[in-house]
Amino acid sequence: MDEHEHGQNPHFDLPPNVTCFARTENAANSKRALYLEQLRNRELPYQEFRKTADKLFNRIADDMALQSIENEVILTPIFRAGLSLLPVFMQRITNSRLCSIGVKRNEETAMPEPYLFKVPPEVGDQAKFIILEPMIATAGTMCYSLGMLKQQGYNLNNIEIIAIFCALEAVNRLQKEYPEVHIHTEVVDPTLDDKKFIVPGCGDFGDRYFGT
Ligand SMILES: O=P(O)(O)OC[C@H]1O[C@H](OP(=O)(O)OP(=O)(O)O)[C@H](O)[C@@H]1O
Ligand SMILES: O=c1cc[nH]c(=O)[nH]1
């Protein structure tokens, strides 16, 4: 049986700024790993995909020490797929505020095409940005987003990413270009296909979650 069916990774090394749940001891027989594997099933209808993704997000939030974050939190979903994670995290961090980043990946070239960037007013120096983005494939979208935050003068050390599926290529690129930024992901998959989709991945997360 393929290793991915158990939510495990092949044994490539990961950069130090990545925490990958599938590689932790807790992954064995965990609900998180089970939900992740269910999301890989392309036959799952969108209602089930959404339900399963929401259960996974709740488990992730349960396992993070969100209540103990002392800094102001700016939740930063990357539209559109990142919006799927927003309700769970907003419910848990009730005084968080929203930074909106809109980027559409060009379907032919896979290059990021930004259309929205809006930070709330008067963000303090110590504010923690939590970027919500289920899929990091080439990392083009993420590098654009981090570049915008850096350009606005925000401290990269105060930025964390919550992802679900990352490609190895993406985490290596992020380590090179933004080593200060920590990535929490459920899994790191080994490759991209010729359309720059994560393999094995789960297909188009946004389309599957929103039923489009
Ligand atoms: O790492 P990258 O190669 O940049 O790819 C990842 C991006 O692609 C997807 O978004 P997409 O633009 O397809 O839009 P969606 O969120 O509306 O589905 C995904 O949600 C990421 O934002
Ligand atoms: O595999 C991928 C790559 C980009 N966006 C997705 O939704 N899935």
Side-chain angles (χ1 to χ4, degrees):
M1 192 180 280
D2 187 281
E3 275 181 291
H4 289 289
E5 291 177 35
H6 300 293
Q8 301 300 309
N9 273 319
H11 299 291
F12 42 75
D13 289 334
L14 290 181
N17 61 331
V18 177
T19 305
C20 174
F21 180 73
R23 293 202 172 194
T24 63
E25 283 179 6
N26 296 339
N29 303 315
S30 83
K31 280 275 179 12
R32 268 170 77 165
L34 177 75
Y35 296 146
L36 182 91
E37 289 313 300
Q38 289 173 351
L39 295 180
R40 292 192 189 277
N41 173 9
R42 309 300 203 264
E43 306 299 314
L44 206 62
Y46 80 89
Q47 300 94 326
E48 291 303 315
F49 184 91
R50 190 186 298 164
K51 236 188 251 173
T52 306
D54 288 344
K55 285 194 227 168
L56 173 60
F57 301 159
N58 272 294
R59 291 267 168 176
I60 294 170
D62 286 345
D63 291 346
M64 294 181 75
L66 296 175
Q67 291 77 4
S68 63
I69 303 177
E70 284 172 6
N71 309 38
E72 173 186 17
V73 171
I74 310 294
L75 289 175
T76 308
I78 301 184
F79 293 21
R80 178 190 53 157
L83 289 170
S84 61
L85 283 148
L86 187 62
V88 166
F89 279 81
M90 271 214 156
Q91 249 170 29
R92 311 286 178 122
I93 315 173
T94 49
N95 57 353
S96 56
R97 295 194 290 157
L98 180 72
C99 172
S100 303
I101 301 184
V103 183
K104 179 79 196 129
R105 197 173 83 144
N106 184 296
E107 285 178 12
E108 316 283 270
T109 63
M111 296 304 286
E113 294 179 351
Y115 58 88
L116 173 70
F117 181 80
K118 195 155 176 34
V119 187
E122 296 168 24
V123 171
D125 286 350
Q126 297 307 311
K128 184 194 251 315
F129 283 80
I130 301 184
I131 300 185
L132 306 173
E133 169 60 275
M135 308 302 280
I136 310 181
T138 65
T141 299
M142 191 55 72
C143 286
Y144 162 79
S145 306
L146 293 170
M148 286 299 285
L149 291 168
K150 183 178 176 184
Q151 191 185 311
Q152 303 282 318
Y154 298 110
N155 184 348
L156 292 173
N157 289 297
N158 292 342
I159 301 178
E160 288 188 35
I161 298 169
I162 311 269
I164 305 300
F165 293 91
C166 287
L168 179 59
E169 179 177 319
V171 295
N172 286 334
R173 179 174 172 190
L174 287 165
Q175 161 67 17
K176 243 190 232 140
E177 296 185 27
Y178 294 99
E180 313 88 334
V181 177
H182 200 93
I183 306 159
H184 302 267
T185 185
E186 293 304 282
V187 75
V188 178
D189 280 351
T191 47
L192 297 175
D193 67 13
D194 57 354
K195 292 214 143 68
K196 305 289 184 195
F197 273 78
I198 300 170
V199 178
C202 73
D204 188 313
F205 192 100
D207 279 352
R208 298 194 66 199
Y209 187 91
F210 293 111
T212 55

mmCIF file of all heavy atoms in Angstrom, residues 162-188:
data_model
loop_
_atom_site.group_PDB
_atom_site.id
_atom_site.type_symbol
_atom_site.label_atom_id
_atom_site.label_comp_id
_atom_site.label_asym_id
_atom_site.label_seq_id
_atom_site.Cartn_x
_atom_site.Cartn_y
_atom_site.Cartn_z
ATOM 1 N N ILE A 162 -0.495 28.677 8.304
ATOM 2 C CA ILE A 162 -1.208 27.411 8.525
ATOM 3 C C ILE A 162 -1.604 26.894 7.147
ATOM 4 O O ILE A 162 -2.376 27.541 6.422
ATOM 5 C CB ILE A 162 -2.503 27.609 9.343
ATOM 6 C CG1 ILE A 162 -2.269 28.442 10.580
ATOM 7 C CG2 ILE A 162 -3.159 26.253 9.642
ATOM 8 C CD1 ILE A 162 -1.923 27.743 11.819
ATOM 9 N N ALA A 163 -1.071 25.740 6.797
ATOM 10 C CA ALA A 163 -1.377 25.133 5.501
ATOM 11 C C ALA A 163 -1.890 23.711 5.735
ATOM 12 O O ALA A 163 -1.788 23.177 6.845
ATOM 13 C CB ALA A 163 -0.120 25.097 4.639
ATOM 14 N N ILE A 164 -2.436 23.121 4.694
ATOM 15 C CA ILE A 164 -2.871 21.716 4.779
ATOM 16 C C ILE A 164 -1.947 20.849 3.914
ATOM 17 O O ILE A 164 -1.288 19.958 4.422
ATOM 18 C CB ILE A 164 -4.350 21.567 4.341
ATOM 19 C CG1 ILE A 164 -5.262 22.493 5.165
ATOM 20 C CG2 ILE A 164 -4.791 20.088 4.499
ATOM 21 C CD1 ILE A 164 -5.265 22.272 6.668
ATOM 22 N N PHE A 165 -1.889 21.144 2.619
ATOM 23 C CA PHE A 165 -0.992 20.410 1.709
ATOM 24 C C PHE A 165 0.085 21.376 1.204
ATOM 25 O O PHE A 165 -0.241 22.444 0.684
ATOM 26 C CB PHE A 165 -1.748 19.920 0.465
ATOM 27 C CG PHE A 165 -2.791 18.875 0.732
ATOM 28 C CD1 PHE A 165 -4.110 19.247 1.007
ATOM 29 C CD2 PHE A 165 -2.482 17.524 0.674
ATOM 30 C CE1 PHE A 165 -5.092 18.285 1.226
ATOM 31 C CE2 PHE A 165 -3.457 16.555 0.889
ATOM 32 C CZ PHE A 165 -4.767 16.935 1.168
ATOM 33 N N CYS A 166 1.343 20.976 1.341
ATOM 34 C CA CYS A 166 2.437 21.745 0.734
ATOM 35 C C CYS A 166 3.209 20.821 -0.194
ATOM 36 O O CYS A 166 3.360 19.621 0.097
ATOM 37 C CB CYS A 166 3.445 22.218 1.777
ATOM 38 S SG CYS A 166 2.858 23.547 2.799
ATOM 39 N N ALA A 167 3.749 21.385 -1.267
ATOM 40 C CA ALA A 167 4.679 20.609 -2.101
ATOM 41 C C ALA A 167 6.091 20.824 -1.561
ATOM 42 O O ALA A 167 6.401 21.905 -1.039
ATOM 43 C CB ALA A 167 4.591 21.073 -3.539
ATOM 44 N N LEU A 168 6.930 19.818 -1.733
ATOM 45 C CA LEU A 168 8.319 19.924 -1.272
ATOM 46 C C LEU A 168 9.011 21.127 -1.921
ATOM 47 O O LEU A 168 9.737 21.874 -1.259
ATOM 48 C CB LEU A 168 9.059 18.619 -1.609
ATOM 49 C CG LEU A 168 10.523 18.566 -1.208
ATOM 50 C CD1 LEU A 168 10.686 18.755 0.293
ATOM 51 C CD2 LEU A 168 11.142 17.230 -1.656
ATOM 52 N N GLU A 169 8.759 21.295 -3.228
ATOM 53 C CA GLU A 169 9.337 22.439 -3.957
ATOM 54 C C GLU A 169 8.987 23.766 -3.266
ATOM 55 O O GLU A 169 9.807 24.673 -3.158
ATOM 56 C CB GLU A 169 8.761 22.410 -5.377
ATOM 57 C CG GLU A 169 9.205 23.520 -6.267
ATOM 58 C CD GLU A 169 8.625 23.345 -7.698
ATOM 59 O OE1 GLU A 169 8.596 22.210 -8.220
ATOM 60 O OE2 GLU A 169 8.197 24.371 -8.262
ATOM 61 N N ALA A 170 7.754 23.848 -2.781
ATOM 62 C CA ALA A 170 7.296 25.085 -2.145
ATOM 63 C C ALA A 170 8.016 25.317 -0.822
ATOM 64 O O ALA A 170 8.450 26.442 -0.537
ATOM 65 C CB ALA A 170 5.790 25.038 -1.931
ATOM 66 N N VAL A 171 8.111 24.279 0.001
ATOM 67 C CA VAL A 171 8.751 24.517 1.310
ATOM 68 C C VAL A 171 10.238 24.843 1.126
ATOM 69 O O VAL A 171 10.792 25.661 1.851
ATOM 70 C CB VAL A 171 8.525 23.367 2.345
ATOM 71 C CG1 VAL A 171 7.070 23.250 2.723
ATOM 72 C CG2 VAL A 171 9.087 22.053 1.899
ATOM 73 N N ASN A 172 10.863 24.245 0.116
ATOM 74 C CA ASN A 172 12.276 24.573 -0.140
ATOM 75 C C ASN A 172 12.423 26.024 -0.617
ATOM 76 O O ASN A 172 13.340 26.736 -0.209
ATOM 77 C CB ASN A 172 12.878 23.603 -1.163
ATOM 78 C CG ASN A 172 13.130 22.238 -0.528
ATOM 79 O OD1 ASN A 172 13.312 22.125 0.689
ATOM 80 N ND2 ASN A 172 13.129 21.186 -1.328
ATOM 81 N N ARG A 173 11.495 26.453 -1.461
ATOM 82 C CA ARG A 173 11.549 27.853 -1.938
ATOM 83 C C ARG A 173 11.313 28.830 -0.785
ATOM 84 O O ARG A 173 12.017 29.839 -0.659
ATOM 85 C CB ARG A 173 10.496 28.066 -3.034
ATOM 86 C CG ARG A 173 10.495 29.481 -3.542
ATOM 87 C CD ARG A 173 9.582 29.696 -4.729
ATOM 88 N NE ARG A 173 9.498 31.123 -5.027
ATOM 89 C CZ ARG A 173 8.644 31.660 -5.879
ATOM 90 N NH1 ARG A 173 7.783 30.886 -6.533
ATOM 91 N NH2 ARG A 173 8.621 32.964 -6.083
ATOM 92 N N LEU A 174 10.347 28.497 0.065
ATOM 93 C CA LEU A 174 10.050 29.397 1.195
ATOM 94 C C LEU A 174 11.228 29.459 2.164
ATOM 95 O O LEU A 174 11.538 30.514 2.720
ATOM 96 C CB LEU A 174 8.756 28.968 1.893
ATOM 97 C CG LEU A 174 7.494 29.289 1.082
ATOM 98 C CD1 LEU A 174 6.291 28.523 1.616
ATOM 99 C CD2 LEU A 174 7.210 30.793 1.081
ATOM 100 N N GLN A 175 11.885 28.333 2.366
ATOM 101 C CA GLN A 175 13.057 28.309 3.249
ATOM 102 C C GLN A 175 14.151 29.225 2.697
ATOM 103 O O GLN A 175 14.813 29.951 3.430
ATOM 104 C CB GLN A 175 13.557 26.870 3.392
ATOM 105 C CG GLN A 175 14.989 26.709 3.889
ATOM 106 C CD GLN A 175 15.178 27.157 5.326
ATOM 107 O OE1 GLN A 175 14.203 27.297 6.070
ATOM 108 N NE2 GLN A 175 16.405 27.397 5.732
ATOM 109 N N LYS A 176 14.326 29.206 1.371
ATOM 110 C CA LYS A 176 15.358 30.044 0.752
ATOM 111 C C LYS A 176 14.990 31.523 0.837
ATOM 112 O O LYS A 176 15.812 32.367 1.177
ATOM 113 C CB LYS A 176 15.475 29.668 -0.724
ATOM 114 C CG LYS A 176 16.836 29.101 -1.061
ATOM 115 C CD LYS A 176 17.035 28.966 -2.554
ATOM 116 C CE LYS A 176 17.491 27.543 -2.857
ATOM 117 N NZ LYS A 176 16.925 26.966 -4.015
ATOM 118 N N GLU A 177 13.719 31.834 0.510
ATOM 119 C CA GLU A 177 13.349 33.248 0.379
ATOM 120 C C GLU A 177 12.826 33.870 1.674
ATOM 121 O O GLU A 177 12.978 35.065 1.891
ATOM 122 C CB GLU A 177 12.302 33.408 -0.731
ATOM 123 C CG GLU A 177 12.883 33.009 -2.092
ATOM 124 C CD GLU A 177 11.933 33.272 -3.252
ATOM 125 O OE1 GLU A 177 11.082 34.177 -3.141
ATOM 126 O OE2 GLU A 177 12.031 32.547 -4.254
ATOM 127 N N TYR A 178 12.211 33.053 2.518
ATOM 128 C CA TYR A 178 11.612 33.583 3.764
ATOM 129 C C TYR A 178 11.880 32.623 4.938
ATOM 130 O O TYR A 178 10.943 32.099 5.538
ATOM 131 C CB TYR A 178 10.095 33.793 3.578
ATOM 132 C CG TYR A 178 9.785 34.866 2.574
ATOM 133 C CD1 TYR A 178 9.442 34.542 1.265
ATOM 134 C CD2 TYR A 178 9.868 36.215 2.923
ATOM 135 C CE1 TYR A 178 9.185 35.539 0.324
ATOM 136 C CE2 TYR A 178 9.617 37.220 1.989
ATOM 137 C CZ TYR A 178 9.279 36.867 0.699
ATOM 138 O OH TYR A 178 9.033 37.852 -0.225
ATOM 139 N N PRO A 179 13.157 32.411 5.286
ATOM 140 C CA PRO A 179 13.479 31.429 6.332
ATOM 141 C C PRO A 179 12.924 31.792 7.706
ATOM 142 O O PRO A 179 12.783 30.918 8.567
ATOM 143 C CB PRO A 179 15.022 31.430 6.350
ATOM 144 C CG PRO A 179 15.428 32.718 5.718
ATOM 145 C CD PRO A 179 14.342 33.073 4.737
ATOM 146 N N GLU A 180 12.572 33.079 7.897
ATOM 147 C CA GLU A 180 12.067 33.514 9.221
ATOM 148 C C GLU A 180 10.626 33.065 9.439
ATOM 149 O O GLU A 180 10.125 33.093 10.570
ATOM 150 C CB GLU A 180 12.049 35.041 9.349
ATOM 151 C CG GLU A 180 13.280 35.786 8.913
ATOM 152 C CD GLU A 180 13.273 36.136 7.427
ATOM 153 O OE1 GLU A 180 12.609 35.428 6.636
ATOM 154 O OE2 GLU A 180 13.958 37.091 7.057
ATOM 155 N N VAL A 181 9.943 32.725 8.374
ATOM 156 C CA VAL A 181 8.502 32.457 8.481
ATOM 157 C C VAL A 181 8.263 30.969 8.732
ATOM 158 O O VAL A 181 8.728 30.117 7.966
ATOM 159 C CB VAL A 181 7.773 32.890 7.181
ATOM 160 C CG1 VAL A 181 6.298 32.559 7.256
ATOM 161 C CG2 VAL A 181 7.987 34.382 6.939
ATOM 162 N N HIS A 182 7.540 30.664 9.819
ATOM 163 C CA HIS A 182 7.299 29.263 10.154
ATOM 164 C C HIS A 182 6.030 28.737 9.454
ATOM 165 O O HIS A 182 5.010 29.421 9.421
ATOM 166 C CB HIS A 182 7.189 29.072 11.668
ATOM 167 C CG HIS A 182 7.429 27.646 12.034
ATOM 168 N ND1 HIS A 182 8.672 27.162 12.390
ATOM 169 C CD2 HIS A 182 6.597 26.566 12.031
ATOM 170 C CE1 HIS A 182 8.590 25.859 12.593
ATOM 171 N NE2 HIS A 182 7.338 25.476 12.385
ATOM 172 N N ILE A 183 6.138 27.534 8.932
ATOM 173 C CA ILE A 183 5.001 26.911 8.231
ATOM 174 C C ILE A 183 4.532 25.707 9.042
ATOM 175 O O ILE A 183 5.331 24.820 9.363
ATOM 176 C CB ILE A 183 5.429 26.403 6.836
ATOM 177 C CG1 ILE A 183 6.080 27.531 6.034
ATOM 178 C CG2 ILE A 183 4.245 25.793 6.079
ATOM 179 C CD1 ILE A 183 6.955 27.025 4.898
ATOM 180 N N HIS A 184 3.233 25.687 9.361
ATOM 181 C CA HIS A 184 2.622 24.507 9.975
ATOM 182 C C HIS A 184 1.788 23.854 8.876
ATOM 183 O O HIS A 184 0.863 24.485 8.354
ATOM 184 C CB HIS A 184 1.679 24.895 11.114
ATOM 185 C CG HIS A 184 2.356 25.675 12.194
ATOM 186 N ND1 HIS A 184 2.893 25.090 13.319
ATOM 187 C CD2 HIS A 184 2.608 27.004 12.302
ATOM 188 C CE1 HIS A 184 3.429 26.022 14.084
ATOM 189 N NE2 HIS A 184 3.271 27.191 13.498
ATOM 190 N N THR A 185 2.084 22.629 8.525
ATOM 191 C CA THR A 185 1.299 21.966 7.474
ATOM 192 C C THR A 185 0.937 20.555 7.911
ATOM 193 O O THR A 185 1.637 19.960 8.735
ATOM 194 C CB THR A 185 2.064 21.946 6.130
ATOM 195 O OG1 THR A 185 1.224 21.401 5.116
ATOM 196 C CG2 THR A 185 3.360 21.132 6.197
ATOM 197 N N GLU A 186 -0.155 20.035 7.373
ATOM 198 C CA GLU A 186 -0.530 18.657 7.691
ATOM 199 C C GLU A 186 0.416 17.689 7.012
ATOM 200 O O GLU A 186 0.776 16.671 7.571
ATOM 201 C CB GLU A 186 -1.977 18.378 7.264
ATOM 202 C CG GLU A 186 -2.992 19.161 8.060
ATOM 203 C CD GLU A 186 -2.860 18.911 9.557
ATOM 204 O OE1 GLU A 186 -3.306 17.862 10.052
ATOM 205 O OE2 GLU A 186 -2.293 19.786 10.242
ATOM 206 N N VAL A 187 0.785 18.022 5.756
ATOM 207 C CA VAL A 187 1.610 17.082 5.009
ATOM 208 C C VAL A 187 2.455 17.843 3.993
ATOM 209 O O VAL A 187 2.079 18.937 3.557
ATOM 210 C CB VAL A 187 0.696 16.023 4.314
ATOM 211 C CG1 VAL A 187 -0.030 16.586 3.107
ATOM 212 C CG2 VAL A 187 1.448 14.759 3.945
ATOM 213 N N VAL A 188 3.596 17.270 3.641
ATOM 214 C CA VAL A 188 4.387 17.776 2.511
ATOM 215 C C VAL A 188 4.415 16.671 1.464
ATOM 216 O O VAL A 188 4.892 15.561 1.733
ATOM 217 C CB VAL A 188 5.824 18.169 2.941
ATOM 218 C CG1 VAL A 188 6.625 18.633 1.729
ATOM 219 C CG2 VAL A 188 5.780 19.268 4.000
#
